[in-house]
Amino acid sequence: MKGLFISIEGTDGAGKSTQIDLLKKYITEKGRDVIVTREPGGTPISEKIREIILDNNNSEMSYITEALLYAASRAQHVNEKIKPALMEGKIIICDRFVDSSIAYQCAARGISREIIEDINKYAIDGIMPDITLYFDITPEEGIKRKKNMHTLDRIEQEKQDFHNKVYEGYQMLLKLYPERIKRIDASKDIYDVHNQVLKYIDCML
Ligand code: TYD
């Protein structure tokens, strides 16, 4: 693969979108081809799956159904968009990837890591991010920020305990993959956070 695959992770409300916009602008100004995409979503089929997953009316959805739908959305995304772009040498910035399934479906929902990794083995098809930036903010602060922005979706509406477990899941991932996952202190102001991001990305460009 000739391209560069950057994934962005964090608990809900960590401020990923703003930072993704700034990073995209920075990379574009350097004259590089960059694609911004997201999960769940990123292709027409994956976006349809996203609507089903996040729909507040789908409260009966079982945890395993949810995990499989995230993986299905990811499989289509990798196959249709991420893999071809990397083969063409493009830079991909992906808002969430498989680490989200470990933090949310495994650490918070309680499905075993073995099952989540197994399902996702087929979805990622050997593709993993070259670098993952994890935006660290306390779960309380994150949900407070989200509430100020819009009405909460099915996942965001989960109780505080759920968000705490997601947070713990990310702390576990940081320890497991220190080479790939880099912690960004997302409690700081926008430009401070952007500079932390550049510290890691600049040397990879
Ligand atoms: P989104 O609105 O994109 O949230 P955010 O702006 O916080 O990224 O909604 C995606 C939600 O789906 C978010 O709550 C995290 C969750 N999610 C999972 O539970 N598992 C996954 O594998 C992915 C990709 C996301």
Side-chain angles (χ1 to χ4, degrees):
M1 295 287 165
K2 293 179 290 175
L4 177 66
F5 183 12
I6 304 165
S7 69
I8 309 289
E9 295 283 349
T11 47
D12 296 82
K16 293 181 282 104
S17 314
T18 312
Q19 292 300 325
I20 288 172
D21 288 346
L22 288 173
L23 181 60
K24 180 186 179 194
K25 190 162 170 272
Y26 179 82
I27 296 175
T28 308
E29 280 167 2
K30 292 218 162 233
R32 300 286 302 268
D33 251 344
V34 58
I35 294 176
V36 172
T37 188
R38 69 169 178 184
E39 291 209 345
T43 71
I45 293 171
S46 308
E47 289 290 334
K48 281 189 183 163
I49 300 173
R50 176 188 172 95
E51 279 171 30
I52 299 171
I53 300 174
L54 298 182
D55 188 342
N56 275 319
N57 293 319
N58 289 341
S59 54
E60 314 89 339
M61 190 183 292
S62 79
Y63 294 170
I64 193 73
T65 304
E66 182 186 274
L68 287 164
L69 285 174
Y70 278 116
S73 156
R74 180 164 302 130
Q76 186 62 29
H77 190 209
V78 167
N79 194 276
E80 185 181 337
K81 191 167 181 180
I82 297 180
K83 227 176 188 180
L86 291 176
M87 285 169 80
E88 284 170 23
K90 294 190 174 139
I91 297 173
I92 298 252
I93 304 174
C94 190
D95 186 349
R96 299 191 180 281
F97 196 61
V98 68
D99 295 311
S100 283
S101 282
I102 299 290
Y104 285 77
Q105 279 63 58
C106 174
R109 295 294 198 212
I111 302 176
S112 77
R113 216 169 104 203
E114 198 184 352
I115 292 177
I116 296 300
E117 285 176 354
D118 203 26
I119 295 170
N120 277 284
K121 191 169 71 194
Y122 304 102
I124 64 178
D125 198 16
I127 300 284
M128 274 303 279
D130 297 295
I131 183 165
T132 298
L133 302 177
Y134 165 64
F135 287 78
D136 199 337
I137 189 174
T138 63
E140 292 83 7
E141 182 60 27
I143 286 301
K144 209 162 75 192
R145 284 191 192 173
K146 278 268 162 170
K147 273 189 191 148
N148 290 336
M149 280 152 55
H150 60 82
T151 49
L152 303 182
D153 66 35
R154 196 175 63 83
I155 305 290
E156 287 162 355
Q157 278 189 8
E158 287 290 340
K159 301 204 168 51
Q160 191 61 51
D161 180 52
F162 173 88
H163 297 289
N164 294 344
K165 286 183 182 155
V166 171
Y167 186 76
E168 284 162 21
Y170 277 120
Q171 303 305 315
M172 174 192 79
L173 282 164
L174 275 172
K175 288 200 189 96
L176 278 176
Y177 305 108
E179 291 301 311
R180 173 175 62 85
I181 308 182
K182 305 298 177 192
R183 179 184 174 276
I184 303 286
D185 180 355
S187 70
K188 299 277 195 291
D189 73 56
I190 290 180
Y191 292 99
D192 183 307
V193 176
H194 181 55
N195 283 328
Q196 293 179 57
V197 168
L198 294 189
K199 192 180 97 196
Y200 290 115
I201 298 302
D202 247 343
C203 57
M204 302 196 76
L205 290 177

